[in-house]
Amino acid sequence: MTPKIAIRDVTKVFGRRAPEGLAMVEAGADKAEILARTGCTVGLKHVSLDIPEGQVFAIMGLSGSGKSTLARHINRLIDPSAGAIIVDGDDIMRLDAKALRAFRRRKVSMVFQGFGLLPHRTVLQNAAFGLIARGEAKKEAYSKAQAWLERVGLAGYEAQRPAELSGGMRQRVGLARALAADTDILLMDEAFSALDPLIKVEMQDLLLDLQRDLKKTIVFITHDLDEAVRLGDAISVMKDGEIAQTGTPSEILEHPANDYVARFVRRGGGARRKT
């Protein structure tokens, strides 16, 4: 089955001497040596993944593991130093500026950890922002945004400003904005990490409920094993810019591929599968 998103041998080197750093990656140098000799940081190293359509694919790892960097390659907020990102069979590195804007507006939406809301706009205006930005009439955009605000439990809050909402409510606005755009792919970068534990579980429940109906392709970035296991149909564990293991939640929990993944599993001993 052709994957919705195919990441092929992607390497990313940050820094003014990135070509030199990339050559060192290809020669087998490690991150510390590349940093010492060139001042460059290796964000990703030969990452390949197949992300199926209609699933929640969790990418987890500690801070600095490369998980958020990888997510930002899927909508080309970051371009790779080498490798290919293929969506629906098309290499998105070949998109010109106009086609890339259309891709971001109609194919992929993003939900951020910091909510990413416009503080001086209302909840309804924030939820409709992506639709209006891509040229839809305000009346139609507001109608769609209103429907999604109701779906995520924010009916009655349309005229409020983000500062008047709790963290969980602001994240619901961000989710409504992403869903209103009706894109095939949803990137969620540590979307629930800033929330209190009980609110975090509520948002996980909401996402699972919505996903049963919507069947979006969701790339969910997290550092939390419990969250990855609960939400993910599949999980990739990252370490130092590389994939340590990819598998189902059961495979990750019961058959860790190496000591690093095993330590993750032990540390997140309360992890449980979604129901």
Side-chain angles (χ1 to χ4, degrees):
M1 190 179 204
T2 303
K4 183 74 172 178
I5 304 166
I7 297 167
R8 294 287 178 262
D9 201 26
V10 165
T11 295
K12 178 62 182 179
V13 179
F14 296 97
R16 287 184 297 176
R17 295 166 64 184
E20 185 179 347
L22 178 60
M24 291 182 68
V25 169
E26 299 305 324
D30 62 23
K31 290 180 65 172
E33 182 183 357
I34 294 168
L35 179 63
R37 288 179 53 184
T38 69
C40 293
T41 299
V42 179
L44 299 173
K45 183 178 178 182
H46 297 304
V47 173
S48 292
L49 282 177
D50 284 345
I51 299 176
E53 185 172 11
Q55 292 190 7
V56 179
F57 195 99
I59 300 175
M60 61 171 293
L62 300 177
S63 178
S65 64
K67 57 190 186 299
S68 292
T69 297
L70 180 58
R72 282 163 168 74
H73 277 72
I74 295 172
N75 59 357
R76 278 191 61 190
L77 291 179
I78 299 174
D79 282 350
S81 302
I85 300 102
I86 299 165
V87 178
D88 286 332
D90 296 323
D91 185 350
I92 65 170
M93 294 308 301
R94 297 181 179 179
L95 299 178
D96 61 20
K98 181 178 179 181
L100 181 58
R101 285 195 299 271
F103 172 80
R104 289 173 177 163
R105 289 173 177 174
R106 299 189 178 276
K107 181 70 72 170
V108 58
S109 300
M110 197 161 192
V111 182
F112 300 93
Q113 177 181 358
F115 315 124
L117 303 181
L118 301 170
H120 302 301
R121 300 202 182 197
T122 67
V123 165
L124 182 61
Q125 289 169 336
N126 269 284
F129 181 79
L131 296 171
I132 293 171
R134 74 184 187 195
E136 294 198 21
K138 281 188 177 181
K139 182 177 180 180
E140 182 178 355
Y142 285 156
S143 177
K144 291 179 181 178
Q146 175 70 43
W148 280 109
L149 288 171
E150 292 173 3
R151 189 80 183 270
V152 301
L154 288 178
Y157 290 90
E158 295 84 0
Q160 305 297 107
R161 295 290 199 275
E164 299 173 292
L165 305 179
S166 68
M169 294 170 77
R170 290 198 295 273
Q171 197 56 288
R172 288 171 187 259
V173 179
L175 183 58
R177 179 180 57 193
L179 293 171
D182 195 26
T183 58
D184 295 343
I185 298 166
L186 196 60
L187 305 179
M188 303 188 71
D189 188 7
E190 296 275 12
F192 304 153
S193 295
L195 303 177
D196 292 335
L198 290 178
I199 303 300
K200 184 175 183 178
V201 171
E202 288 180 9
M203 290 301 297
Q204 291 170 358
D205 289 341
L206 174 62
L207 182 63
L208 289 172
D209 287 343
L210 291 169
Q211 178 64 356
R212 288 186 188 101
D213 294 334
L214 299 175
K215 300 294 190 294
K216 297 285 187 183
T217 302
I218 300 176
V219 180
F220 194 96
I221 307 301
T222 181
H223 62 268
D224 185 335
L225 178 65
D226 286 346
E227 186 166 63
V229 169
R230 185 159 193 252
L231 297 178
D233 296 294
I235 300 171
S236 273
V237 182
M238 295 194 69
K239 179 181 185 291
D240 294 335
E242 298 181 73
I243 302 296
Q245 184 176 356
T246 298
T248 65
S250 293
E251 289 168 343
I252 298 293
L253 292 175
E254 298 169 14
H255 305 288
N258 51 48
D259 288 343
Y260 179 77
V261 179
R263 289 199 302 272
F264 238 124
V265 170
R266 285 197 299 272
R267 191 187 67 175
R272 56 190 176 90
R273 284 169 239 172
K274 63 184 176 182
T275 57

